[in-house]
Amino acid sequence: MAMITGSEALMHAAAASGVTICFANPGTTEMWQVSALDACPTVRAILGMHETVCTGAADGYFRMARSPPLVLLHLGPGLANGLANLHNARRASSAVLVLVGDMASWHRGADPTLNMDIQCIAATVSGTVISVISEQTAARTGQVTATPHPRSTGPPDRNAATSSRVEDVRPGGSGGCSRELGGQEVVVGPVEALQRAVEVLRSPASSSADMGLAGSSRVVTLLLPHDLSWEERSDWPVLQQQQQQQQQQQQQQQQQQQQQRVNDAADALLGMGIDQGWEGQACQSDSQNGATPAHSAPRLSERPGAIAFIKDCAAALTACRARGEAVALYLGGEALLVEGDAIINAGKVSAHTGADLLCVSAFARVDRGAGLPCPIRLQYFPQEAAAQLRKYKMLVVVGTPLPVANFGYRDGPSHLCSLPEEDVWEVDAAWGGGSGTGHARSGAGSPVSRHPDGELQGRVQQARQASPADRLTAGGVCSAVAALQPEDAIIVDESLTSGGSYWEASRGCPRFSHLTLTGGAIGSGPPMSVGAAVACPTRRVINLQADGSCMYSLQALWTQARERLKVTTIVCANNSYAILKLEAVRQRLPRLGTAGKALTDLSRPIVDWVALATGLGVPASRATTAEGLISQLKAALLLDGPFLIEAVLV
């Protein structure tokens, strides 16, 4: 059997587990992984010119593909550079596998220049951090695979805070870190570590992160020492598994050939009028040969007590409505997706019970448009959001935790829902791809009269036509995008203050997917657009982007050009950190002086977005009127590659 490196074995194991994409910004300690990608052509390697591009792209990729990508980063500093968008991925419940090269195990103790405590950095965003060690190190130190840190298995106490201390388990490691996420593990061998990472990503505990449980994250970080990446062996587990798979495939082919001969004989006998029951035998043989449905997560009907819980919830909803009380479904995570009919079932529950349909403000993805329910988006600022929820006497929370304020303002609320616990019903959207809401509908009785169709709540209206007025305003940009976006578009929305009207403007658009900033770490829009476009190459991605936050991850434009991605970026150029000016007003600060203006103004000098984009390989234009924006956007949407429009706002 051929000798291959640990990096090659790991990459083959990743491919065998279904990984097809690697967003990478490698360095010296990852060059063996780069070589391994050459030896594993089924994994597509995409270079990001900054680590935040790689991690943001991975987040966007998972949100659309629903399959974990691989991210390859260089040591602790590289991971630190990508941390902001991994934080957003964590808040989006995106499953991402991060592979970080570490110093050679025998060199780490010398404390070289780039040495860092990578585990503690990774712990801030990861549900599980896996450190790879060699068999020799395990024998010398007595280390074995560590027991994962216990995960929460139910909705958190929203008034309680949890923390734990996890010690550094690496050979030669020193110190530890205080953290609130999942466990640290030590695994012997790179292949075994990769397989363990995939196991964690696919586990129900990982999927439960969709509920936003305290400390939950679906990001798994794997730390591979440099010396293990170049180690050569011929007995890596992945090679043995490949041999076994080849043998199984050969056996299956032989069985299929034998079965075909049986079927041919059956056809001949049936043609003579002799029915010997061959058809039934063939079906039985298919089952014996492994032609059975793939393993899937337990459906709602397989969870003891789950259906009873859902039907009790539906009965409570109906009873509240019968008393004339306002009730609502508050949706997040997978409950907002068309996969598994989750959002469609939510609309049916709303139609049958009369409950309002709400969704989180910072959602990972909502499938919207014609034929789909139109949820009411929760307000961003806490006072308005709390007032929005105050009218409801019962709240059914699906696929997300109860909302809290993004910041603690003076005299402002922390928790936005003031209902007692008995009036809040929390449902895991992972209960069978929306079957939870389907069962709720079946137990809810007849549809109420204000939804005569008995199916979907919400109106479908024509998108407002963009006005060609001379002045180009933020509202005009939103109207233009809503009027022109094609069917099946993916809208990556990091427009912040400029995009406030887009949600309403796009209510009646053809069906599309809407992605937003989930963790508040700005600079996610351009990288997320990269990932979404890679995941869905035939769909048009429109990045509605604030100018200040675009500067955080401008390098993503280079990747869009290099990969010829169908991304149209609209930069809302107000030359200002407008959100900070708004925050100053809301916090009743004194009038901004010289320092305040200097820290919120972006006009000295004015950023030339056309020059920046073209310098990175993306063609671009500038729109100063609504008519100009409409004309340029129409042309951009016809291109097979990327384009940027600088929308100069007044």
Side-chain angles (χ1 to χ4, degrees):
M1 191 178 297
M3 300 280 286
I4 67 171
T5 66
S7 292
E8 288 180 273
L10 184 149
M11 205 59 67
H12 283 298
S17 71
V19 172
T20 59
I21 295 291
C22 177
F23 298 103
N25 187 281
T28 300
T29 50
E30 294 74 45
M31 291 311 297
W32 288 96
Q33 283 91 305
V34 172
S35 177
L37 284 164
D38 281 332
C40 191
T42 58
V43 179
R44 177 183 175 187
I46 297 178
L47 177 64
M49 291 281 278
H50 191 278
E51 293 86 351
T52 198
V53 175
C54 300
T55 54
D59 181 18
Y61 180 87
F62 179 82
R63 294 195 200 188
M64 296 309 304
R66 315 308 292 173
S67 177
L70 179 64
V71 179
L72 179 62
L73 301 178
H74 179 46
L75 295 169
L79 177 60
N81 281 344
L83 216 59
N85 274 327
L86 285 177
H87 166 76
N88 290 328
R90 174 200 166 198
R91 290 299 188 185
S93 293
S94 292
V96 176
L97 175 57
V98 184
L99 175 59
V100 182
D102 197 0
M103 291 292 177
S105 56
W106 46 265
H107 186 47
R108 191 182 302 117
D111 194 23
T113 304
L114 286 169
N115 199 35
M116 289 181 71
D117 192 340
I118 306 177
Q119 284 183 317
C120 282
I121 298 172
T124 60
V125 293
S126 305
T128 302
V129 180
I130 300 174
S131 299
V132 188
I133 63 173
S134 66
E135 293 177 355
Q136 294 82 355
T137 299
R140 184 176 69 252
T141 63
Q143 288 178 302
V144 294
T145 301
T147 301
H149 184 75
R151 295 177 181 268
S152 174
T153 56
D157 178 354
R158 57 181 183 269
N159 296 316
T162 60
S163 65
S164 61
R165 188 168 181 83
V166 180
E167 297 301 325
D168 192 338
V169 296
R170 293 177 302 170
S174 59
C177 51
S178 178
R179 52 189 294 236
E180 296 182 358
L181 294 184
Q184 302 253 4
E185 302 187 22
V186 179
V187 177
V188 178
V191 174
E192 294 85 348
L194 187 284
Q195 292 170 339
R196 172 59 184 154
V198 171
E199 179 185 358
V200 171
L201 286 170
R202 291 177 175 174
S203 69
S206 174
S207 298
S208 71
D210 187 62
M211 279 289 286
L213 302 179
S216 62
S217 173
R218 299 185 70 186
V219 176
V220 175
T221 301
L222 192 155
L223 312 181
L224 181 65
H226 199 185
D227 50 328
L228 268 66
S229 68
W230 69 60
E231 180 184 357
E232 288 188 321
R233 283 171 47 185
S234 61
D235 60 344
W236 294 110
V238 68
L239 298 179
Q240 297 171 358
Q241 292 168 4
Q242 287 176 347
Q243 277 192 332
Q244 292 174 356
Q245 290 175 355
Q246 291 174 354
Q247 292 173 356
Q248 290 175 354
Q249 289 174 354
Q250 291 175 354
Q251 291 176 356
Q252 289 177 354
Q253 290 176 353
Q254 292 173 355
Q255 290 172 345
Q256 289 172 357
Q257 292 171 355
Q258 175 63 24
Q259 187 58 53
Q260 185 60 50
R261 287 192 288 270
V262 171
N263 290 341
D264 291 342
D267 290 340
L269 287 171
L270 289 171
M272 293 186 296
I274 306 173
D275 186 356
Q276 297 287 346
W278 293 100
E279 184 177 359
Q281 184 175 342
C283 293
Q284 184 180 6
S285 178
D286 286 342
S287 176
Q288 292 172 348
N289 288 339
T292 56
H295 173 73
S296 59
R299 303 289 295 181
L300 179 63
S301 58
E302 298 170 3
R303 308 270 181 111
I307 295 179
F309 174 87
I310 292 295
K311 290 191 174 182
D312 287 346
C313 177
L317 277 173
T318 306
C320 282
R321 288 297 301 157
R323 294 192 297 268
E325 297 173 344
V327 296
L329 274 67
Y330 178 64
L331 310 178
E334 294 183 359
L336 293 169
L337 306 185
V338 75
E339 282 96 336
D341 291 338
I343 193 168
I344 293 175
N345 280 333
K348 292 176 180 180
V349 172
S350 174
H352 280 72
T353 63
D356 287 343
L357 209 57
L358 308 180
C359 75
V360 298
S361 176
F363 48 82
R365 171 181 152 196
V366 180
D367 291 325
R368 304 180 56 203
L372 293 176
C374 301
I376 303 166
R377 190 175 181 180
L378 193 67
Q379 294 289 318
Y380 172 81
F381 288 107
Q383 290 87 349
E384 288 86 341
Q388 190 178 2
L389 294 173
R390 202 169 294 131
K391 70 176 182 178
Y392 297 110
K393 301 302 180 184
M394 177 180 171
L395 198 64
V396 180
V397 183
V398 187
T400 185
L402 282 166
V404 299
N406 289 317
F407 302 99
Y409 295 91
R410 180 190 300 179
D411 301 325
S414 179
H415 299 283
L416 304 181
C417 177
S418 57
L419 287 173
E421 289 189 4
E422 59 267 23
D423 293 327
V424 177
W425 296 64
E426 296 184 84
V427 180
D428 188 346
W431 274 358
S435 64
T437 48
H439 279 284
R441 179 176 74 112
S442 68
S446 301
V448 295
S449 59
R450 71 186 183 98
H451 298 292
D453 61 354
E455 289 297 319
L456 300 178
Q457 186 228 3
R459 54 203 175 101
V460 176
Q461 60 184 23
Q462 287 291 93
R464 291 182 292 174
Q465 294 298 309
S467 170
D470 289 339
R471 293 166 58 86
L472 182 53
T473 64
V477 172
C478 294
S479 294
V481 172
L484 298 177
Q485 66 185 62
E487 186 175 4
D488 282 335
I490 301 170
I491 307 298
V492 177
D493 183 0
E494 198 189 13
S495 54
L496 305 177
T497 54
S498 297
S501 65
Y502 176 74
W503 179 267
E504 289 300 320
S506 58
R507 284 173 65 91
C509 288
R511 191 170 291 194
F512 68 104
S513 296
H514 191 174
L515 282 59
T516 65
L517 174 66
T518 52
I522 61 175
S524 69
M528 198 191 309
S529 299
V530 168
V534 171
C536 305
T538 62
R539 298 175 65 176
R540 170 63 59 178
V541 177
I542 300 176
N543 178 198
L544 191 57
Q545 183 63 44
D547 55 353
S549 57
C550 191
M551 288 295 291
Y552 284 53
S553 53
L554 187 66
Q555 301 93 326
L557 295 179
W558 182 86
T559 303
Q560 293 174 15
R562 181 186 179 97
E563 301 294 330
R564 298 295 301 163
L565 302 177
K566 295 175 64 174
V567 178
T568 302
T569 301
I570 302 173
V571 176
C572 301
N574 57 17
N575 299 309
S576 169
Y577 277 132
I579 185 64
L580 295 183
K581 294 180 179 179
L582 180 58
E583 290 284 6
V585 172
R586 290 188 64 89
Q587 296 185 58
R588 299 186 291 278
L589 295 177
R591 188 181 185 88
L592 292 178
T594 303
K597 291 178 180 178
L599 296 177
T600 57
D601 175 64
L602 302 179
S603 64
R604 294 182 294 118
I606 291 178
V607 177
D608 188 339
W609 289 100
V610 174
L612 288 175
T614 54
L616 292 170
V618 174
S621 62
R622 181 176 292 110
T624 58
T625 66
E627 185 174 6
L629 174 63
I630 293 169
S631 174
Q632 293 171 32
L633 183 55
K634 285 181 178 178
L637 294 176
L638 297 176
L639 300 176
D640 287 332
F643 195 87
L644 181 143
I645 300 173
E646 178 184 349
V648 182
L649 303 183
V650 295

